[in-house]
Amino acid sequence: MILLTGGAGFIGGNFVHHWFGRGETEPILVLDKLTYAGNPQTIAEHLAAGRASLVQADICDRDTVRRLLAEHRPRAVLHFAAESHVDRSIHGPGEFIQTNMVGTFSLLEEARAHWQTLPASEKDAFRFLHVSTDEVYGSLSDTDPAFNETTSYAPNSPYSASKAGSDHLVRAYHHTYGLPTLTTNCSNNYGPYHFPEKLIPLVILNALDGKPLPIYGDGQNIRDWLYVRDHCEAICQVLVKGRVGETYNVGGKNEVRNLDVVTTICRELDALRPRASGRYEDLITFVKDRPGHDRRYAIDPRKIEREIGWRPAESFETGVAKTVRWYLDNGAWTTAVRSGAYRDWIATNYAARA
């Protein structure tokens, strides 16, 4: 079996669906703190079928991690769990340091201790796969080459700094102790089951509610967009084919300006669920930029293409179309996650930017 941290969150939950959707029969043990962004309903069908099981616990709880490793003897730990929203890290960086750095350290310590007790065959097969972000590399100008695996780290937010720290810990545990690690640094993910604090789900749901569609600054910030199921397939392949100790950048080859992201969503909604009057683009509202907003991210994925053979299956247009349709078809899920706490957060983050 495999142990999956953060498996009730956005990328982790999609990984559970993708894992069994590609025909894998190996069970998954999900370890998730179930914060505001963790939702057991995301993986409910696999929990009900017994293909996956869920333990609610913090990755900093070393006693629980140690017990799970001893009881279940997973062949791999896939580490998705993280605080991941830049705006939240600006308002409250402490949780990001605790989860992303202290939590990763705790996992590494327990994984190392467990790995060292395994018989030779299991020890050779064991992997610790750490899922990280392109934001650790900092910001690019419009003319800079894309990030590759040798790009110097230059994080610009408490979130990206905490992820950079976790990346360095994973690297150190391989080079110091020999722990068989793999690291992936991905570009901006989007797709089903995405908590609606991030740009794409926020815009879709605000548009459907007739609310303003907030765009930071001038809307010209550029991100490389990666459909989440493409990312999940990359992780599956890196787990099997990746060279121990290596880092692989996973990108969608879809550099799009934020304003164009929003207008693309608006056009898709115009076609699928037209407004009673006007277009969805009429709801676009430019708001005050966030502090330290990185201008551009871009991923050079040639290493994973060359060594692993992975390439994204979705273009930005096809991925957005699938995403919009999913949100239109899954109102019950979105209603359940948009609690009072979520509404309070949106008010906190956007009220002062109007």
Side-chain angles (χ1 to χ4, degrees):
M1 72 179 311
I2 60 175
L3 173 62
L4 185 65
T5 73
F10 167 47
I11 303 177
N14 271 284
F15 183 87
V16 173
H17 285 285
H18 185 76
W19 179 257
F20 296 115
R22 74 199 300 264
E24 303 287 351
T25 57
E26 195 173 14
I28 291 177
L29 173 62
V30 171
L31 173 62
D32 200 298
K33 189 178 178 180
L34 298 182
T35 64
Y36 72 95
N39 185 357
Q41 287 302 114
T42 296
I43 56 172
E45 66 181 272
H46 302 295
L47 296 175
R51 294 184 290 267
S53 54
L54 172 64
V55 174
Q56 182 178 1
D58 192 329
I59 56 174
C60 295
D61 180 354
R62 291 178 59 173
D63 289 340
T64 296
V65 173
R66 185 181 308 123
R67 174 177 61 80
L68 294 176
L69 290 171
E71 288 181 4
H72 298 277
R73 299 175 66 87
R75 70 171 179 93
V77 174
L78 273 57
H79 180 30
F80 290 84
E83 296 286 346
S84 64
H85 191 34
V86 173
D87 291 317
R88 286 182 184 266
S89 80
I90 293 169
H91 286 280
E95 291 184 12
F96 288 73
I97 302 303
Q98 184 68 20
T99 296
N100 298 351
M101 293 186 67
V102 178
T104 300
F105 164 73
S106 299
L107 278 175
L108 286 165
E109 277 287 272
E110 294 306 324
R112 176 171 70 97
H114 171 71
W115 171 70
Q116 289 175 333
T117 67
L118 296 175
S121 60
E122 292 183 36
K123 194 173 183 180
D124 290 343
F126 186 82
R127 295 291 183 268
F128 184 102
L129 194 156
H130 173 59
V131 180
S132 191
T133 172
D134 60 357
E135 296 191 38
V136 299
Y137 299 121
S139 184
L140 298 169
S141 73
D142 287 349
T143 58
D144 285 333
F147 303 131
N148 62 38
E149 289 80 2
T150 63
T151 300
S152 297
Y153 276 34
N156 290 321
S157 71
Y159 160 60
S160 56
S162 67
K163 288 297 290 184
S166 68
D167 290 7
H168 292 320
L169 284 169
V170 172
R171 174 183 170 86
Y173 269 67
H174 172 67
H175 284 272
T176 302
Y177 304 113
L179 185 69
T181 65
L182 298 158
T183 297
T184 57
N185 292 84
C186 67
S187 54
N188 277 37
N189 278 222
Y190 67 99
Y193 302 107
H194 204 175
F195 189 79
E197 65 185 354
K198 301 293 181 72
L199 178 63
I200 287 179
L202 177 68
V203 167
I204 294 170
L205 296 179
N206 272 20
L208 293 173
D209 290 343
K211 296 179 179 178
L213 309 182
I215 299 179
Y216 287 152
D218 60 5
Q220 299 303 300
N221 300 74
I222 298 172
R223 299 293 182 263
D224 174 27
W225 292 94
L226 175 65
Y227 189 63
V228 65
R229 296 298 175 89
D230 281 339
H231 183 199
C232 294
E233 179 58 23
I235 291 169
C236 289
Q237 294 191 30
V238 169
L239 183 62
V240 174
K241 303 177 186 177
R243 289 187 290 133
V244 168
E246 290 294 313
T247 293
Y248 295 92
N249 282 356
V250 186
K253 291 187 173 181
N254 291 300
E255 287 189 54
V256 186
R257 299 183 189 276
N258 285 352
L259 179 57
D260 296 329
V261 170
V262 176
T263 57
T264 299
I265 293 169
C266 289
R267 288 194 294 270
E268 193 69 28
L269 286 170
D270 284 334
L272 295 174
R273 189 171 293 180
R275 297 183 70 197
S277 61
R279 300 177 305 156
Y280 286 101
E281 287 184 41
D282 299 337
L283 299 171
I284 290 175
T285 303
F286 292 92
V287 300
K288 183 180 178 182
D289 210 350
R290 73 184 178 204
H293 196 180
D294 290 338
R295 193 64 173 175
R296 173 177 168 245
Y297 303 146
I299 283 282
D300 177 352
R302 285 180 291 179
K303 180 178 178 180
I304 193 172
E305 291 176 352
R306 181 178 65 252
E307 294 191 12
I308 308 296
W310 172 88
R311 286 175 174 78
E314 302 291 345
S315 68
F316 181 69
E317 291 73 17
T318 61
V320 164
K322 288 183 176 181
T323 301
V324 169
R325 289 188 183 94
W326 187 88
Y327 279 93
L328 291 175
D329 293 340
N330 289 272
W333 185 91
T334 59
T335 298
V337 302
R338 298 169 84 188
S339 66
Y342 166 74
R343 291 191 294 272
D344 290 345
W345 159 250
I346 293 299
T348 298
N349 191 53
Y350 287 101
R353 301 183 191 276

